Amino acid sequence: MDKIVVRGGNKLEGEVNISSAKNSVLPIIAASILSGDKCVIDNAPMLEDVNVIGEILKSISAKVDINRDNNKIIIDTSSIANCEPDSELVKKMRASFLLMGPMMSRFGSFKISLPGGCNIGTRPIDLHLKGFTALGAKVTIGHGYVKGVADRLIGNNIYLDFPSVGATENLMMAAVMAEGETTIENAAAEPEIEDLGKFLNEIGANVIGAGTDTVRIIGVKKLKGTTHRPIYDRIEAGTFMASAAITRSKIKINGVIEEHLKPIIAKLTEMGVDIKIEGESAIVDATKELKPIDIKTMPYPGFPTDMQAQIMAILCSVKGTSVITETIFENRFMHVSEMKRLGCNIKIDGRSAVIEGVDNLTGTQVKATDLRAGAALILCGLIAEGCTEVTDIYHVDRGYVKIEDKFKNLGADIKRTN
Ligand code: UD1
């Protein structure tokens, strides 16, 4: 199994290019099912999760061509023959649940194994299923599967108890061909949802307000193919901003949409990092002394839970006391015990982590417990004395394109071994 070995101590310099967003491309690939036609995704991130969802689509007879030479994905969903994707593949990735909405909308049914994915809490899908029921579907769970059936879907008003990203996306996709109008209130407003709305409209849907807390979907009869370029990955950009901060370096990050990064930029700025935006690039200067801060993760436009572990890595190196409160997932401090093995001083108190900055970290073997945890451990490795070996790196490969190459280009002493 691959691991990443980092020898800490190098300052970073130069430029890094950000890939397209994993959390945009996965729902968009799922939404291509709706088109029943050929969809092309340009500048697609070549990630393990993208391979997995591609294989899942192939398991229902879609044609999927992932071209690594030109970062293009071509999907033809006209040939889909069944609505029961391969269970072993589905269990590999939680985002497989995003196939439910499109399959129900286009074929009137789905049967899908209860999905797996990152080990960060129980992550129920009740909001998705309640929404499908509101649209007229009959949903049952049993024997490890979720089944949905609907002779026809009828638009309705759906109020989400919590602004779930996945539920908002699934319900948008389920509603595009429903009869009449659907309104999703208390919808999640993440930029990736706006991107999905854009894609859906490109294939002929009528979606209004995606990326705000109220999304209206007016049902249409037929959809078609398109070519789409997803937005840049704000979490990857945030992770590289964090790498400049933890190493007290100055780097340039290309592929930054300022609006999407506001919550991250605000907190790094409060910490004392100087961030200048020039078009779609950010110059991140963390060469001045940094200050401890308090952070609470929140739905967008709040501070993203997907940056919680990386910001914690920085704060472990900042003199003074910082507090991070995780409000989105109930089990997202798995990285803390691994960070402590590197010398970080962190105490967990319920949903909060109290971080006391230390003068230095010392490298050892640590385990990536999930995708962002793995990224955060690599960040710690960049400043730890000696070698830090991050094992179970397949988690990181799910969501970062060639992370070691990008850090190597910035001057880090980092390599992948097995
Ligand atoms: C998406 C992102 C993930 C990110 C998360 C929160 C993708 C592929 N993944 O995951 O990277 O960390 O948003 O920003 O886009 N919940 C329920 N019932 C439901 C659905 C969710 O209780 O039916 C709860 C979850 O358990 C969790 C919270 O809502 O505590 C947030 O989950 P959600 O927004 O749905 O996250 P995902 O879509 O799974």
Side-chain angles (χ1 to χ4, degrees):
M1 216 185 280
D2 280 5
K3 57 189 175 194
I4 280 181
V5 183
V6 199
R7 184 175 285 279
N10 289 9
K11 290 269 181 219
L12 302 183
E13 59 179 359
E15 299 186 22
V16 60
N17 297 329
I18 298 306
S19 302
S20 291
K22 167 180 92 73
N23 287 353
S24 264
V25 86
L26 296 178
I28 285 170
I29 292 175
S32 70
I33 293 174
L34 291 163
S35 73
D37 198 354
K38 193 167 110 178
C39 292
V40 179
I41 302 170
D42 276 337
N43 195 34
M46 293 296 138
L47 296 166
E48 196 40 41
D49 268 5
V50 168
N51 293 336
V52 173
I53 199 164
E55 289 303 313
I56 294 174
L57 256 68
K58 283 187 193 168
S59 79
I60 51 172
S61 305
K63 294 193 188 88
V64 182
D65 174 23
I66 300 181
N67 191 327
R68 280 170 189 76
D69 295 331
N70 59 7
N71 296 334
K72 211 185 256 289
I73 305 177
I74 303 170
I75 308 163
D76 185 346
T77 59
S78 60
S79 51
I80 291 181
N82 71 77
C83 294
E84 207 176 314
D86 182 273
S87 298
E88 288 314 307
L89 291 167
V90 163
K91 281 185 207 149
K92 279 190 176 176
M93 187 178 67
R94 180 174 157 85
S96 336
F97 60 62
L98 292 169
L99 268 69
M100 295 189 293
M103 290 193 296
M104 175 97 89
S105 176
R106 182 161 159 215
F107 301 105
S109 74
F110 67 81
K111 180 179 175 191
I112 190 164
S113 170
L114 284 165
C118 259
N119 188 17
I120 48 173
T122 48
R123 300 181 86 173
I125 52 167
D126 55 313
L127 300 173
H128 305 235
L129 305 185
K130 261 161 78 176
F132 292 149
T133 309
L135 295 175
K138 188 169 179 299
V139 180
T140 49
I141 299 184
H143 306 286
Y145 286 89
V146 193
K147 278 202 257 181
V149 186
D151 289 338
R152 55 190 196 136
L153 295 170
I154 299 168
N156 203 346
N157 288 346
I158 301 168
Y159 183 90
L160 294 179
D161 298 340
F162 179 86
S164 153
V165 174
T168 304
E169 293 170 339
N170 238 334
L171 297 173
M172 279 163 62
M173 295 189 283
V176 286
M177 288 196 278
E179 283 174 40
E181 193 172 319
T182 299
T183 307
I184 309 171
E185 286 181 277
N186 199 27
E190 268 70 0
E192 293 77 18
I193 295 172
E194 187 182 354
D195 203 16
L196 174 65
K198 212 170 145 215
F199 175 84
L200 291 172
N201 287 340
E202 283 164 13
I203 62 171
N206 191 353
V207 178
I208 303 145
T212 73
D213 63 5
T214 306
V215 186
R216 272 175 64 216
I217 304 112
I218 298 154
V220 297
K221 291 237 154 46
K222 203 168 156 34
L223 300 167
K224 59 181 190 319
T226 190
T227 297
H228 185 85
R229 188 185 166 101
I231 56 172
Y232 291 117
D233 196 313
R234 64 196 165 99
I235 305 300
E236 190 195 10
T239 303
F240 280 98
M241 287 179 175
S243 76
I246 198 166
T247 57
R248 311 295 194 266
S249 303
K250 182 177 177 181
I251 63 170
K252 184 175 180 189
I253 303 174
N254 304 316
V256 167
I257 305 168
E258 184 182 9
E259 183 68 25
H260 300 172
L261 274 137
K262 272 189 178 159
I264 298 170
I265 292 174
K267 284 320 235 181
L268 289 171
T269 305
E270 188 183 333
M271 220 185 265
V273 181
D274 184 40
I275 300 176
K276 278 198 184 61
I277 302 291
E278 292 175 359
E280 289 194 340
S281 296
I283 317 280
V284 185
D285 183 350
T287 51
K288 295 201 195 93
E289 197 178 327
L290 301 187
K291 298 185 285 285
I293 55 164
D294 294 344
I295 290 192
K296 202 185 244 189
T297 62
M298 298 287 274
Y300 189 84
F303 189 86
T305 174
D306 284 352
M307 273 299 295
Q308 182 252 105
Q310 301 90 310
I311 213 90
M312 188 183 290
I314 312 172
L315 293 172
C316 287
S317 73
V318 176
K319 207 177 237 145
T321 309
S322 301
V323 179
I324 297 183
T325 305
E326 172 60 55
T327 76
I328 307 293
F329 292 110
E330 83 276 19
N331 188 19
R332 207 173 193 177
F333 283 139
M334 309 260 288
H335 45 279
V336 168
S337 53
E338 297 301 302
M339 285 179 169
K340 282 182 170 175
R341 289 167 45 73
L342 295 169
C344 297
N345 183 352
I346 309 163
K347 284 194 183 66
I348 303 287
D349 180 8
R351 289 204 150 199
S352 295
V354 182
I355 302 133
E356 219 41 78
V358 295
D359 288 335
N360 55 351
L361 303 181
T362 52
T364 186
Q365 191 177 79
V366 284
K367 186 168 149 183
T369 48
D370 69 60
L371 164 56
R372 307 302 170 187
L377 292 169
I378 294 174
L379 294 179
C380 290
L382 293 173
I383 57 161
E385 275 170 22
C387 276
T388 300
E389 281 187 20
V390 185
T391 65
D392 289 23
I393 216 67
Y394 63 91
H395 283 298
V396 177
D397 293 334
R398 288 186 39 226
Y400 290 90
V401 179
K402 294 187 180 153
I403 196 166
E404 71 278 18
D405 289 354
K406 291 190 181 184
F407 276 127
K408 203 183 290 167
N409 285 339
L410 289 170
D413 185 345
I414 184 168
K415 63 178 184 212
R416 178 182 290 256
T417 61
N418 46 31

